[in-house]
Amino acid sequence: MEEFEKKYLANTLKAINKKIEKQQIELAEIKKLFEEKRFELGNNFYEYKQGQDLANTFTNLSQIEDQQIRCEKEIKKLKLQNDSPYFARIDFENSSALQKIYIGLGSIIYNNKAYVVDWRSPIASMYYEYELGPAQFETKDKIIKGQINLKRQYKIENQQLLSYFDTNLTINDEILQQILSKHASDKMRQIVSTIQKEQNAIIRTEKNENILVQGIAGSGKTSIALHKAAYLLYKHRKSLKSSDILVLSPNNIFSSYISEVLPQLGEDNLVETTFAQIVKTELKRPVQAREDMLDDLATCPNQEILNEISYKSSYEFLDSLLRFLKGPLTDIFTPKTLKYIIKENLDGEKEEIVFSEEETKNLFFKTFKGYDIYERINKIAWQYAMVFTEKRHYNKMQHRGLKDRFKQILYSFMPITDVEQIFQIFMAREKLSSKKNNTIQYMDKGTYLAIKHYLYGLDHDFSAKYLIIDEMQDFTPVDIYMFKKIWSCPYMIVGDVNQCIEKNLSKEYLALTADFLGCKVYNLNKTYRSTQEIATFANDMIGIKNIEYVNRRGQEPKVYNTSFQGKTIADIINKQCEDYEHIAIICKCNKEAKDICKQLNGYIDFVYMKEPEDYRNRILVTTCATAKGIEFDAVIVPNADEENYKNNLERNILYISSTRALHKLFFTTTKKTSAFLKNLDEIKE
């Protein structure tokens, strides 16, 4: 059997190399044709008619360029597969035949023989969904039933077959253990060889189905979202491009961390932005970073501010905002009669167009009642401009100008149209504090955008065919309301209500959000990131129950009570983490991080993580807010004393910091240890 497998791998590699050679020849021909056509265009530019011939030539050049891009992408993907062409095999038997199906990153077909099938294909879905025994898969027009007689998993590296295992399970525990035991990478990795059944069900949901994934720390929710994107690009490749899928990321460091997943799968990267960047673009004002808001809270906890954050994070606040916009703000629209003389004879007789106050009121408050203000004004302005167009035969350009002029007049009937002023009025009505400066506070970004959108609409096009929203728990209901306003496409939202620092979210909040967005909820309760000891400690700390763990054991988290934190941290890294590639010293806030940097100077080399490229370094000092969503081989949390970590907000920080650790977790303190760590062994130095 081993000889058969070695021979099959060799034949597959030959097929890949043949395909690469064929594609390279085709690419050379395409490049040559492109240069010939471009040269021809340059020589004959002035001889072409300024019309169809020139247009056809440019179209032809564009088509050749598209062929070149497709060919280069195919070569890149084949070279990616050349190192490890497949990771699994199933033997599927039905009434027609027994098929040996090898599964990899992409299909490998040469001379009409399918050596490998794409992991996203319907037939490959059986690998993730079924154990040995009856199985089926669905094609476009029918369901094919049969029997899985064999499930085999491979470890192939550098074109060498290192080992393989037969199993009845979806993913053999030995394979999964090997992968999860690896060191952290500076980029998130693709997980096609270890996708679990519950993860696969989410990845293969229909494109038009809105889904919300609630996943505990380490459940793979972000990775699943990216693999979902890859699946959609495969299944809908004729109608969907990577540029059609938009990812709303928490911050630039996180965006950089996930940037290699799609390229590892042979797909182009998706379009990424942050909601704060969208608000900044629309309002033309800076927006406070979430990390800065959390840093302020961690540095100087303020119960009044926390209460405001809790209220602004509620659907009650969203309801108040919408009632204000659709009620008091809309009601200040006070039109006047508009009278225009379009013709006057020598006797002084006039032909007039009159839009009475009552007519405008009826249109605004009754006919277009269900619309936002900007939509009402657009519709009335268009209707009024059409009266002139019909009577005076205005052309389209003149009609557009008339419409814009009427919009200005209609907006003049609003006594207040300044977004900042309206925001301040609303905040005063809600008895909430409000800083009057140019920077929009993080918690207010959705409110500002909602006011601007209701009054004027948006200036920019943020359209997408599919939307992925990460770290759902960090957004407010007002933010989520604006997602519905901006994007009408299907979406996938992932997050964890347990990983919110500044507020506590409940299952009821999750249900409200799913209902508001029309989402089906998927729950992921199995953690794959941390060892069972780390995950158990972290989840017990905040009272999460019914969690499943991968059977990957490690040492218990430890607390070091010391007089010299800098030296102790250096000793932990040098003696207990010497083989690890990514180690994080995660602090509560920037003030604390700067102090720890001073304590570490002279003991070890480290980098204070602020930019995406900083993550490439081995030892990092950072804050919980910055490290959120990222993982490290080992994590050290300094100043873990009863004064520094005593309330709910600080417990949440401790939980998120702890769940960043893959293999080892340490706490250091110079004072009495925090009560949240009471069950851990304490080492006094």
Side-chain angles (χ1 to χ4, degrees):
M1 182 57 71
E2 186 173 344
E3 283 305 311
F4 171 83
E5 292 292 4
K6 286 182 177 179
K7 186 176 180 181
Y8 193 89
L9 175 59
N11 289 337
T12 303
L13 292 170
K14 283 180 186 177
I16 292 173
N17 288 323
K18 290 289 185 183
K19 284 177 71 69
I20 290 173
E21 288 173 15
K22 184 179 178 182
Q23 288 290 333
Q24 286 174 333
I25 292 169
E26 185 179 338
L27 179 61
E29 291 174 351
I30 291 170
K31 287 182 175 179
K32 182 181 177 183
L33 178 61
F34 183 81
E35 289 303 317
E36 288 173 354
K37 291 292 183 183
R38 193 169 67 169
F39 182 76
E40 181 185 326
L41 175 62
N43 283 348
N44 302 297
F45 186 81
Y46 293 105
E47 295 177 18
Y48 285 125
K49 295 176 183 177
Q50 292 299 310
Q52 200 60 41
D53 288 348
L54 190 62
N56 287 340
T57 303
F58 278 117
T59 300
N60 188 238
L61 275 172
S62 178
Q63 290 171 344
I64 295 170
E65 197 169 23
D66 288 343
Q67 290 174 2
Q68 180 179 328
I69 292 169
R70 282 195 296 270
C71 199
E72 288 171 340
K73 185 177 177 180
E74 181 63 21
I75 292 171
K76 182 181 176 182
K77 188 169 184 177
L78 286 166
K79 287 182 176 179
L80 192 67
Q81 293 173 264
N82 204 29
D83 177 59
S84 180
Y86 48 86
F87 55 83
R89 163 187 160 189
I90 56 174
D91 288 2
F92 180 66
E93 184 177 12
N94 61 9
S95 56
S96 57
L98 171 66
Q99 301 177 70
K100 292 181 175 65
I101 302 157
Y102 287 78
I103 302 165
L105 284 181
S107 298
I108 299 169
I109 302 171
Y110 187 70
N111 283 346
N112 295 321
K113 176 176 172 60
Y115 288 88
V116 180
V117 302
D118 195 298
W119 67 277
R120 298 166 289 188
S121 65
I123 198 169
S125 67
M126 293 189 294
Y127 167 69
Y128 300 106
E129 293 175 12
Y130 294 100
E131 298 177 1
L132 295 182
Q136 65 183 44
F137 67 96
E138 189 173 348
T139 63
K140 286 182 179 179
D141 51 1
K142 59 181 176 179
I143 295 174
I144 297 174
K145 298 182 178 181
Q147 181 100 358
I148 294 178
N149 296 332
L150 179 140
K151 293 188 74 170
R152 181 167 289 172
Q153 292 151 42
Y154 301 88
K155 187 178 181 182
I156 301 172
E157 292 179 4
N158 299 319
Q159 303 182 347
Q160 298 297 312
L161 177 61
L162 302 180
S163 61
Y164 61 84
F165 305 89
D166 290 348
T167 178
N168 183 38
L169 304 174
T170 303
I171 304 296
N172 183 279
D173 192 54
E174 185 172 349
I175 292 277
L176 185 59
Q177 290 282 7
Q178 287 177 5
I179 290 171
L180 295 178
S181 297
K182 285 184 178 180
H183 293 164
S185 168
D186 64 343
K187 302 288 183 185
M188 182 180 281
R189 293 183 286 238
Q190 57 89 358
I191 59 165
V192 292
S193 62
T194 59
I195 292 171
Q196 303 293 290
K197 184 174 182 178
E198 72 275 12
Q199 297 172 331
N200 182 64
I202 297 170
I203 290 169
R204 293 178 188 263
T205 52
E206 290 300 315
K207 175 176 173 285
N208 59 357
E209 182 181 353
N210 295 332
I211 59 175
L212 189 158
V213 180
Q214 158 59 33
I216 63 164
S219 58
K221 51 192 175 293
T222 299
S223 191
I224 292 168
L226 297 171
H227 285 71
K228 168 74 175 176
Y231 173 74
L232 292 175
L233 290 170
Y234 170 84
K235 187 172 182 181
H236 303 280
R237 49 192 175 276
K238 291 182 180 178
S239 59
L240 195 67
K241 308 186 296 294
S242 58
S243 58
D244 295 326
I245 302 178
L246 176 65
V247 178
L248 278 187
S249 291
N251 54 49
N252 292 333
I253 290 176
F254 186 78
S255 295
S256 175
Y257 178 59
I258 66 172
S259 63
E260 287 301 312
V261 174
L262 269 294
Q264 288 169 11
L265 295 170
E267 300 291 350
D268 295 329
N269 252 325
L270 311 176
V271 178
E272 289 185 56
T273 189
T274 64
F275 187 50
Q277 184 58 47
I278 289 174
V279 176
K280 182 180 177 182
T281 301
E282 281 294 318
L283 275 296
K284 300 177 179 60
R285 290 169 60 181
V287 178
Q288 180 191 34
R290 175 173 172 77
E291 291 77 14
D292 291 339
M293 178 201 74
L294 293 174
D295 196 64
D296 290 344
L297 285 173
T299 306
C300 301
N302 182 307
Q303 192 56 49
E304 186 178 341
I305 293 175
L306 287 171
N307 291 342
E308 283 198 5
I309 286 173
S310 179
Y311 178 50
K312 289 177 181 177
S313 301
S314 69
Y315 280 93
E316 181 186 354
F317 179 80
L318 170 62
D319 185 57
S320 292
L321 175 63
L322 295 181
R323 281 191 281 108
F324 168 73
L325 295 177
K326 296 175 182 180
L329 179 63
T330 302
D331 291 343
I332 67 172
F333 181 78
T334 312
K336 297 176 183 177
T337 297
L338 301 174
K339 186 182 293 185
Y340 301 93
I341 300 170
I342 62 171
K343 190 183 293 184
E344 184 176 1
N345 61 23
L346 294 174
D347 297 328
E349 295 174 337
K350 301 172 183 177
E351 184 180 340
E352 297 177 333
I353 294 178
V354 178
F355 304 115
S356 70
E357 173 187 334
E358 196 60 32
E359 182 181 0
T360 306
K361 270 187 178 180
N362 281 333
L363 287 170
F364 189 87
F365 289 107
K366 293 181 180 178
T367 307
F368 303 125
K369 182 180 179 181
Y371 295 96
D372 293 347
I373 284 177
Y374 81 93
E375 293 173 303
R376 301 185 199 198
I377 287 177
N378 272 339
K379 289 177 180 295
I380 297 170
W382 182 88
Q383 188 166 315
Y384 284 1
M386 278 303 297
V387 175
F388 277 82
T389 303
E390 290 167 357
K391 294 205 174 193
R392 298 290 299 276
H393 307 291
Y394 278 52
N395 60 37
K396 288 183 179 179
M397 287 300 294
Q398 290 170 323
H399 176 82
R400 191 177 298 121
L402 274 172
K403 180 186 172 185
D404 290 341
R405 175 61 184 141
F406 271 118
K407 282 174 65 176
Q408 291 176 2
I409 294 168
L410 291 165
Y411 273 114
S412 74
F413 298 153
M414 297 281 298
I416 305 170
T417 55
D418 179 69
V419 173
E420 176 64 35
Q421 194 175 356
I422 293 167
F423 172 80
Q424 294 295 341
I425 291 170
F426 173 67
M427 295 297 279
R429 286 171 61 94
E430 294 295 305
K431 296 181 173 57
L432 295 171
S433 61
S434 173
K435 291 183 180 179
K436 293 185 179 179
N437 58 41
N438 191 45
T439 300
I440 296 171
Q441 297 300 296
Y442 178 83
M443 290 301 297
D444 296 328
K445 64 188 184 307
T447 304
Y448 270 99
L449 191 62
I451 293 169
K452 199 263 183 183
H453 180 272
Y454 188 72
L455 262 180
Y456 300 109
L458 298 183
D459 300 327
H460 302 82
D461 181 12
F462 302 104
S463 60
K465 291 185 179 178
Y466 195 83
L467 178 67
I468 295 173
I469 303 170
D470 206 346
E471 300 292 347
M472 165 269 297
Q473 70 279 359
D474 293 347
F475 296 109
T476 70
V478 177
D479 297 337
I480 293 167
Y481 166 78
M482 285 311 301
F483 298 160
K484 285 183 71 173
K485 283 288 187 179
I486 297 171
W487 293 286
S488 57
C489 62
Y491 35 77
M492 176 179 187
I493 301 173
V494 300
D496 179 14
V497 293
N498 302 301
Q499 291 188 66
C500 193
I501 294 173
E502 73 278 14
K503 54 187 181 283
N504 292 319
L505 300 177
S506 63
K507 289 182 179 179
E508 289 73 22
Y509 176 85
L510 192 69
L512 275 172
T513 301
D515 185 60
F516 182 71
L517 291 171
C519 290
K520 181 177 179 180
V521 178
Y522 291 84
N523 287 287
L524 296 174
N525 294 317
K526 190 170 185 177
T527 179
Y528 299 92
R529 178 186 294 140
S530 306
T531 62
Q532 187 168 334
E533 286 74 12
I534 294 172
T536 300
F537 155 74
N539 290 318
D540 284 350
M541 179 170 55
I542 63 170
I544 302 179
K545 306 295 183 185
N546 303 317
I547 300 302
E548 295 180 57
Y549 305 95
V550 174
N551 188 28
R552 186 169 71 86
R553 307 309 296 258
Q555 73 175 34
E556 295 283 349
K558 295 179 181 178
V559 181
Y560 286 81
N561 199 312
T562 174
S563 301
F564 305 99
Q565 274 194 119
K567 183 179 183 305
T568 298
I569 290 170
D571 287 345
I572 290 170
I573 292 171
N574 291 330
K575 295 175 183 178
Q576 300 191 56
C577 307
E578 64 271 23
D579 296 328
Y580 292 154
E581 296 172 10
H582 285 282
I583 303 159
I585 300 153
I586 303 180
C587 304
K588 190 172 80 170
C589 59
N590 279 300
K591 181 182 177 183
E592 181 181 290
K594 290 173 183 176
D595 180 61
I596 289 296
C597 287
K598 290 178 183 177
Q599 295 182 44
L600 289 171
N601 278 330
Y603 288 110
I604 52 171
D605 293 327
F606 63 90
V607 170
Y608 186 10
M609 186 167 75
K610 295 178 180 177
E611 303 296 333
E613 54 269 20
D614 293 338
Y615 186 69
R616 298 171 189 161
N617 293 277
R618 179 172 178 258
I619 302 172
L620 298 167
V621 175
T622 186
T623 64
C624 173
T626 302
K628 199 161 175 278
I630 306 174
E631 59 187 29
F632 304 89
D633 290 315
V635 166
I636 302 167
V637 180
N639 298 325
D641 59 75
E642 62 179 356
E643 280 301 309
N644 209 28
Y645 290 99
K646 59 182 181 297
N647 57 37
N648 281 345
L649 180 142
E650 290 157 351
R651 183 192 63 176
N652 293 343
I653 291 174
L654 208 56
Y655 171 74
I656 293 168
S657 298
S658 300
T659 55
R660 302 307 95 205
L662 284 168
H663 309 300
K664 290 185 179 180
L665 174 63
F666 306 92
F667 301 91
T668 64
T669 178
T670 59
K671 302 174 184 176
K672 186 177 179 181
T673 303
S674 168
F676 298 131
L677 311 180
K678 62 184 178 182
N679 294 326
L680 298 183
D681 290 338
E682 186 171 327
I683 301 166
K684 292 189 180 291
E685 292 191 339

